[in-house]
């Protein structure tokens, strides 16, 4: 489904991703772990075409997409949700989802006129809202909903494009334990025809949803395996427990 080979990214002489190779199977849930600055978000920039790799290749559904720009990659079915909120505050959740879906179908020209009458679009929006547990909030203004709901909507915007590959950058960052449960359910109920790569700081969530985990440190892959293997791996434990990072330390204490 997704094959990354010898991928590297330099910023002005500093290597942020170094000779990274990995493969993700169709339908898989792959968690990317790594301490702050490990290169996780940069990897997503490279996969979505927001940034160009310095070297290496990316193959998606059998096609080399390395030279495609972000718009072309979205068109072949790669979508992402952001680490920081990226929403239209003064539109409703429904309108935000419609904009995302309309942009993806290239039908934004008629969008403002009568997209709400388009049955397929309406169905798509309502399905997406259900997938991210926002059905009850569909007609609320984004500025009026909770921070957690906004994080759900972030994922919804990506899902509204009907992606084959969904990249999620820390969907639970800044949310409380109840909302982490909501995300847990949300992720578990997403259909398996969507392949998912997720950067997740909550260890319990990461370990429970992942089929496989890839661990990055200083831009390099330092480990890859099942959640069970990852948990028991000494060098992974060293990275999380040895660097004084509070987020990981705290999460590990609960694990
Ligand atoms: N545009 C850029 N120019 C120069 N350096 C950059 C740029 N973007 C990222 N970096 C550097 O690349 C490294 C990796 O950053 P990245 O954001 O990918 O890490 P991350 O694993 O997502 O971290 P976090 O867990 O904090 O989100 C960092 O040292 C960062 O400072
Ligand atoms: Mg990041």
């Amino acid at each position: 489904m997704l094959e990354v080979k010898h991928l590297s990214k330099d910023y002005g002489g500093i290597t942020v991703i170094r000779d990274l190779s990995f493969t993700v199977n169709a339908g898989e849930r792959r968690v990317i772990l790594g301490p702050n600055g490990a290169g996780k978000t940069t990897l997503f920039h490279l996969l979505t075409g927001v940034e160009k790799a310095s070297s290496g290749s990316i193959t998606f559904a059998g096609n080399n997409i390395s030279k495609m720009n972000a718009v072309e990659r979205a068109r072949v079915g790669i979508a992402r949700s952001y680490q920081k909120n990226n929403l239209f505050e003064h539109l409703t959740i429904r309108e935000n989802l419609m904009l995302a879906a309309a942009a993806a179908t290239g039908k934004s020209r008629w969008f403002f006129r009568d997209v709400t009458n388009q049955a397929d679009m309406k169905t798509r929006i309502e399905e997406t809202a259900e997938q991210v547990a926002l059905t009850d909030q569909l007609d609320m203004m984004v500025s009026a909903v909770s921070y957690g709901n906004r994080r759900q909507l972030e994922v919804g915007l990506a899902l509204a494009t009907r992606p084959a590959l969904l990249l999620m950058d820390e969907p639970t960052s800044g949310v409380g334990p109840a909302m982490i449960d909501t995300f847990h359910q949300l992720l578990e109920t997403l259909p398996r025809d969507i392949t998912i790569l997720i950067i997740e700081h909550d260890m319990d969530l990461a370990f429970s949803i992942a089929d496989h985990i890839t661990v990055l440190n200083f831009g390099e892959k330092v480990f890859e395996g099942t959640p069970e293997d990852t948990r028991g791996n000494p060098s992974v434990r060293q990275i999380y427990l040895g660097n004084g990072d509070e987020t990981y330390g705290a999460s590990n204490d609960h694990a």
Side-chain angles (χ1 to χ4, degrees), residues 86-124:
N86 190 37
L87 307 169
F88 293 105
E89 289 284 319
H90 301 293
L91 295 178
T92 64
I93 286 182
R94 185 189 299 276
E95 288 162 341
N96 271 269
L97 289 172
M98 284 187 336
L99 278 171
T105 54
K107 297 205 169 126
S108 39
R109 258 187 313 124
W110 49 263
F111 164 72
F112 285 103
R113 204 166 60 239
D114 61 0
V115 74
T116 43
N117 299 328
Q118 303 294 323
D120 60 334
M121 186 62 88
K122 190 166 188 290
T123 307
R124 185 197 288 217

Side-chain angles (χ1 to χ4, degrees), residues 9-12 14-17 32-45 51 83 169-170 199 201 216 219 245 248:
K9 178 66 179 173
D10 305 322
Y11 285 115
I14 297 164
T15 302
V16 175
I17 294 288
I32 310 290
L33 289 182
N36 298 118
K40 307 179 297 295
T41 297
T42 303
L43 169 63
F44 277 17
H45 290 331
E51 300 269 3
Q83 190 171 3
D169 195 347
E170 299 190 28
I199 299 169
H201 274 213
L216 301 184
D245 183 307
Y248 291 99

Side-chain angles (χ1 to χ4, degrees), residues 99-176:
L99 278 171
T105 54
K107 297 205 169 126
S108 39
R109 258 187 313 124
W110 49 263
F111 164 72
F112 285 103
R113 204 166 60 239
D114 61 0
V115 74
T116 43
N117 299 328
Q118 303 294 323
D120 60 334
M121 186 62 88
K122 190 166 188 290
T123 307
R124 185 197 288 217
I125 299 313
E126 284 166 7
E127 273 172 13
T128 305
E130 191 155 340
Q131 286 178 322
V132 295
L134 285 175
T135 302
D136 294 343
Q137 291 89 349
L138 256 177
D139 293 305
M140 286 172 75
M141 193 97 93
V142 169
S143 58
V145 303
S146 69
Y147 177 78
N149 285 164
R150 289 169 198 226
R151 305 296 338 220
Q152 288 162 263
L153 178 56
E154 283 284 342
V155 177
L157 295 184
L159 283 174
T161 70
R162 296 258 163 104
L165 174 65
L166 173 60
L167 311 178
M168 285 187 261
D169 195 347
E170 299 190 28
T172 66
S173 90
V175 310

Side-chain angles (χ1 to χ4, degrees), residues 1-3 22-30 164-165 192 194-197 211-212:
M1 165 65 162
L2 177 71
E3 198 173 1
F22 64 94
T23 301
V24 181
N25 293 322
E28 196 183 327
R29 277 70 179 114
R30 171 70 55 94
L165 174 65
R192 283 273 169 174
I194 305 176
T195 305
I196 299 178
L197 248 73
D211 296 314
H212 294 97

